[in-house]
Amino acid sequence: MRSTIKTLILAPAVVLAVACGKDSSADSALNNDLSLAAQANSAARLDSISAVERTNAAAASAARSAAAPAPVRRSTASAPARRTSSGTRTSSGTAVASEPRTVTQKNTKRDAAIGAAAGAIIGATTSRDKVKGGIIGGVAGGILGGVIGNNVDIQKKPAP
């Protein structure tokens, strides 16, 4: 029995030790191949676009630069700074929020009750002392369920 356990433990260790050994001849051959590939790639490099495509791109960029208006510089010293609200104003002058508000709904109590019930059932069925196991499982399940309900089970709903 002990010899089979030793074999099961030592065989993978020996295989990993042999596989992870350093072999410098493979590294030098790899470096040689990579340097030859880099030399061949730089010698045979071709243009990726034709002359017609290059002419069309130059004409399009010239048209874009001619069509774009020059930026207007304004002096900040002569004009006072304006402050605006975050929303738009209606005709009566009241501000209307541009983004809808959301309400975060956490299910802490519900998930704590579910966790306590599940923990009590699991604790009572798996323990030798049914009452003690049920109490410990219920407390542990309630705490875990409350944490999950407060941090994980969160729903965001639009405010009415």
Side-chain angles (χ1 to χ4, degrees), residues 24-159:
S24 62
S25 64
D27 292 337
S28 64
L30 179 63
N31 286 336
N32 186 24
D33 290 344
L34 289 175
S35 65
L36 287 174
Q39 289 173 358
N41 190 16
S42 64
R45 193 173 303 242
L46 299 175
D47 248 348
S48 60
I49 61 172
S50 67
V52 174
E53 292 172 331
R54 186 175 302 149
T55 305
N56 289 341
S61 66
R64 269 185 266 136
S65 65
V72 177
R73 291 191 154 198
R74 295 183 182 160
S75 173
T76 57
S78 62
R82 291 185 147 185
R83 297 182 187 221
T84 59
S85 65
S86 61
T88 58
R89 296 205 175 262
T90 62
S91 60
S92 63
T94 58
V96 177
S98 59
E99 295 181 13
R101 296 183 57 193
T102 58
V103 176
T104 303
Q105 178 184 2
K106 295 183 178 185
N107 299 316
T108 307
K109 292 179 183 177
R110 182 194 70 182
D111 290 348
I114 293 171
I121 292 170
I122 292 171
T125 56
T126 58
S127 178
R128 288 183 188 165
D129 186 6
K130 304 299 180 189
V131 175
K132 185 177 178 182
I135 292 172
I136 293 173
V139 169
I143 292 171
L144 185 62
V147 168
I148 289 174
N150 190 35
N151 298 328
V152 178
D153 190 14
I154 298 173
Q155 297 175 351
K156 293 187 178 183
K157 295 182 179 181

